[in-house]
Amino acid sequence: MDVRSRNNVVVTGRPEGRAVVLAHGFGCDQNLWRLVVPRLARDFRVVLFDHVGAGRSDLSAWREERYAALDGYAEDVLEICAELDLHDAVLVGHSVSAMIAVLAVNREPARFAGLVLLTPSPRYIDDEDYRGGFSEADIEELLDSLESNYLGWSAAMAPVIMGNPDRPELGEELTNSFCRTDPAIARVFARATFLSDNRADLAAVAVPTLVVECRQDVIAPPEVGAYVHAAVGGSRLVTLDATGHCPQLSAPEATGAAIAEFAAELR
């Protein structure tokens, strides 16, 4: 199968610039990056794509056995990089794609110059002295609600995830994005997302890493950002003066600047 068609790969920006690969989160597609792309495209070659099952990806490529765990998505990212012959790239992962990016970088670190983890969470469920932000019962209730009424769940949860209640158009955009996803695919991706535990993978990251969190985020609270920063050796933590889990929409200027400045500093 053609990788570019499978993942609806779009390349823009400066052809001779360092590649910055943008990986979107659950229930989203590459359109969620549109407000930061102009800032990045001035200096970099920007690579956008849709995870299989999202956006304008080839839905016929979706297989539950491949995408029931985050490893399948990480393999796709590496296949995209190989198809485009990318080297010294910066891989940017938002939300669950932050851990997908960690898995990809750990498999082929020589291909990447740097890693940006935007509102990451290696585990959503609290565990002993680790605070992920949710109890096991919370996540089971969330998944049960999603599986029984995906459209209703999307309408209720997307505005909470987005935050910024004074800007309802942001929550509406995320709701619409969720609702465009096939419910059967969303259920599998949700379980892969919310039941994952990638804490052990963080210590293996061997490339320069920027952790970007928001001042207030119900999905990835500050304790999680601090944990990721401490677990990834030599990483840098930036806290945006922004709220919600999707700063590429709610604070695109600050998000784009953080990514661009980090990428520009890499050798």
Side-chain angles (χ1 to χ4, degrees), residues 4 8 22 55 82 87 90 128 137 170 174 186 204 211 229 237 248:
R4 297 186 192 222
N8 185 34
L22 302 176
H87 301 277
V90 176
E128 297 180 351
L170 297 180
L174 192 60
V211 181
H229 172 45
L237 176 65
Q248 66 270 56

Side-chain angles (χ1 to χ4, degrees), residues 13 25 31 40 76 106 169 183 224:
N31 188 55
L40 298 175
D76 284 358
N106 285 354
E169 69 279 5
V224 176

Side-chain angles (χ1 to χ4, degrees), residues 165-212:
D166 57 327
R167 301 163 68 189
E169 69 279 5
L170 297 180
E172 183 178 344
E173 175 169 346
L174 192 60
T175 300
N176 292 338
S177 179
F178 279 12
C179 290
R180 285 194 297 270
T181 305
D182 183 302
I185 292 174
R187 291 183 192 110
V188 174
F189 196 9
R191 287 201 163 267
T193 297
F194 292 109
L195 298 178
S196 62
D197 186 351
N198 296 101
R199 290 176 294 176
D201 298 302
L202 297 176
V205 174
V207 303
T209 301
L210 174 68
V211 181
V212 182

Side-chain angles (χ1 to χ4, degrees), residues 3-4 7-24 29-34 36-38 40-51 76-94 97 111-112 259:
V3 171
R4 297 186 192 222
N7 289 97
N8 185 34
V9 176
V10 175
V11 181
T12 187
R14 295 182 59 185
E16 73 281 8
R18 183 194 298 275
V20 174
V21 183
L22 302 176
H24 65 82
D29 58 32
Q30 63 182 265
N31 188 55
L32 218 69
W33 294 108
R34 70 186 184 279
V36 304
V37 168
L40 298 175
R42 296 206 306 256
D43 303 305
F44 305 102
R45 182 186 182 198
V46 181
V47 178
L48 298 147
F49 70 94
D50 296 328
H51 286 305
D76 284 358
V77 170
L78 293 174
E79 289 175 5
I80 291 167
C81 292
E83 169 67 21
L84 299 178
D85 194 27
L86 301 184
H87 301 277
D88 294 323
V90 176
L91 180 55
V92 182
H94 170 237
S97 278
R111 192 177 288 281
F112 301 98
I259 297 170

Side-chain angles (χ1 to χ4, degrees), residues 130-148:
Y130 170 81
R131 179 170 183 255
F134 300 88
S135 69
E136 189 170 349
D138 290 335
I139 293 298
E140 283 303 327
E141 181 180 349
L142 180 153
L143 292 172
D144 287 346
S145 175
L146 183 152
E147 290 175 6
S148 64

